[in-house]
């Protein structure tokens, strides 16, 4: 018999204690698109707060962004939501697709998530954007999207239905999410400034969770003198507030210093 076997020590039983684990203040769930290259990276930065933890599930989708492919996500949403276990005690769950929320409908998105998490507050970038723009006092919007015209036009209509008038709009005319994730922050900043400099605009929203927009919000606000937000930016803020986290975060623009009453978010 080998000497190593003869000398194998007995496994000692060790004492331990437990605490509340990661996310002791709030655990937040994210449903991230299969094709998304940006959302997890940006959300980790914006929610890097004591006692806050993010839990992700990937959601199957087509990288080509069209009304037909977007509506297919209605079938995938509950599957992804089911991958976030109830025992985590999530305080909020977000669906990471602005255009998908536009096509499927914000209420339907919430219903699909809550089919597995009935008591957990939900959000998505379109709902979060509306809440953020209300908090920032924006009523005349400059809109930046990466989408082809029919998707952008549907999004415009959703904002108009909420009483937010679109005064200026620009798009990268790109329907491939694999390309959208590689559009440079510099190009996104230039787009925000081009749309936002219109005198009729009192704030800017940059749509799409794949765009690396959160990092340029402060620069855009400084240059325009107007509030600016973006899909991941607004969603992170909204989910934190829904989860009861009201910390102010430096370097992320005006929105992360906003403290709305719970009933307004």
């Amino acid at each position: 018999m080998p000497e190593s076997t003869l000398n194998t020590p007995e496994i000692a039983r060790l004492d331990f204690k437990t605490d509340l684990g990661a996310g002791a203040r709030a655990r937040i769930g994210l449903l991230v698109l299969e094709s998304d290259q940006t959302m997890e990276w940006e959300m980790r930065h914006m929610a890097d707060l004591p006692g806050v933890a993010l839990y992700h599930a990937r959601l199957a989708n087509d990288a080509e962004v069209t009304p037909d492919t977007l509506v297919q996500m209605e079938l995938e949403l509950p599957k992804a939501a089911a991958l976030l276990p109830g025992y985590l005690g999530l305080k909020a769950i977000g669906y990471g697709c602005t255009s998908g929320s536009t096509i499927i409908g914000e209420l339907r998105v919430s219903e699909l998530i809550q089919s597995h998490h009935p008591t957990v507050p939900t959000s998505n970038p379109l709902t979060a954007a509306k809440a953020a723009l209300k908090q920032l006092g924006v009523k005349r919007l400059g809109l930046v999207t990466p989408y082809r015209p029919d998707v952008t036009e549907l999004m415009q209509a959703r904002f108009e239905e909420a009483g937010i008038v679109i005064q200026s709009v620009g798009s990268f005319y790109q329907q491939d999410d694999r390309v959208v994730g590689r559009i440079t922050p510099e190009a996104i900043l230039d787009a925000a400034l081009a749309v936002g400099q219109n005198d009729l605009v009192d704030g800017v929203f940059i749509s799409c969770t794949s765009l690396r927009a959160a990092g340029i919000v402060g620069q855009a606000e400084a240059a325009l003198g107007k509030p600016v937000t973006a899909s991941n930016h607004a969603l992170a803020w909204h989910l934190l507030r829904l989860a009861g986290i009201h910390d102010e975060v430096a370097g992320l623009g005006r929105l992360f210093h906003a403290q709305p009453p719970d009933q307004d978010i």
Side-chain angles (χ1 to χ4, degrees):
M1 186 173 294
E3 183 179 347
S4 59
T5 303
L6 292 173
N7 295 331
T8 299
E10 181 182 352
I11 300 173
R13 181 182 292 273
L14 304 174
D15 293 331
F16 65 89
K17 295 180 180 179
T18 62
D19 59 17
L20 295 177
R25 292 174 68 205
R27 299 183 179 95
I28 295 172
L30 299 174
L31 305 182
V32 184
L33 302 193
E34 174 186 343
S35 63
D36 196 300
Q37 304 170 52
T38 304
M39 183 180 180
E40 290 155 319
W41 172 63
E42 288 197 333
M43 297 293 269
R44 278 195 298 268
H45 169 62
M46 292 183 285
D48 185 17
L49 298 168
V52 176
L54 302 178
Y55 295 87
H56 309 160
R58 283 271 173 166
L59 184 153
N61 75 295
D62 194 312
E64 294 293 320
V65 180
T66 72
D68 288 340
T69 60
L70 290 168
V71 78
Q72 292 303 312
M73 277 191 279
E74 185 169 356
L75 301 175
E76 301 300 329
L77 260 163
K79 298 177 187 177
L83 295 175
L84 295 172
Y87 58 73
L88 287 176
L90 298 174
K91 292 286 188 70
I93 301 175
Y95 163 56
C97 187
T98 326
S99 52
S101 302
T102 298
I103 299 298
I104 298 168
E106 298 161 78
L107 179 59
R108 182 59 178 155
V109 166
S110 182
E111 289 173 348
L112 292 167
I113 296 171
Q114 290 187 326
S115 66
H116 290 283
H117 303 275
T119 64
V120 181
T122 72
S123 189
N124 62 77
L126 185 57
T127 297
K130 291 177 182 178
L133 295 172
K134 180 180 179 181
Q135 176 62 31
L136 293 167
V138 175
K139 297 180 179 178
R140 295 175 289 121
L141 187 64
L143 177 63
V144 175
T145 89
Y147 316 122
R148 67 188 214 178
D150 54 353
V151 177
T152 298
E153 287 164 3
L154 286 167
M155 186 167 291
Q156 287 180 254
R158 298 295 176 265
F159 279 117
E160 296 274 358
E161 290 165 2
I164 301 167
V165 180
I166 306 297
Q167 296 286 10
S168 179
V169 59
S171 173
F172 297 122
Y173 280 73
Q174 181 53 246
Q175 67 185 50
D176 189 337
D177 213 21
R178 293 163 293 197
V179 175
V180 173
R182 299 198 301 273
I183 294 174
T184 67
E186 292 78 15
I188 299 166
L189 176 59
D190 289 344
L193 298 183
V195 166
Q197 66 188 359
N198 186 315
D199 289 340
L200 296 176
V201 165
D202 59 12
V204 174
F205 175 64
I206 305 163
S207 182
C208 190
T209 61
S210 280
L211 286 176
R212 289 172 286 167
I216 61 90
V217 165
Q219 292 173 266
E221 287 187 336
L224 293 170
K226 302 172 183 180
V228 177
T229 188
S231 288
N232 290 332
H233 185 258
L235 183 59
W237 169 81
H238 199 214
L239 289 171
L240 287 167
R241 298 302 186 255
L242 288 173
I245 303 299
H246 295 273
D247 303 32
E248 295 189 6
V249 184
L252 291 176
R254 302 182 190 186
L255 184 60
F256 276 75
H257 293 279
Q259 300 290 342
D262 290 346
Q263 64 268 25
D264 289 345
I265 64 172

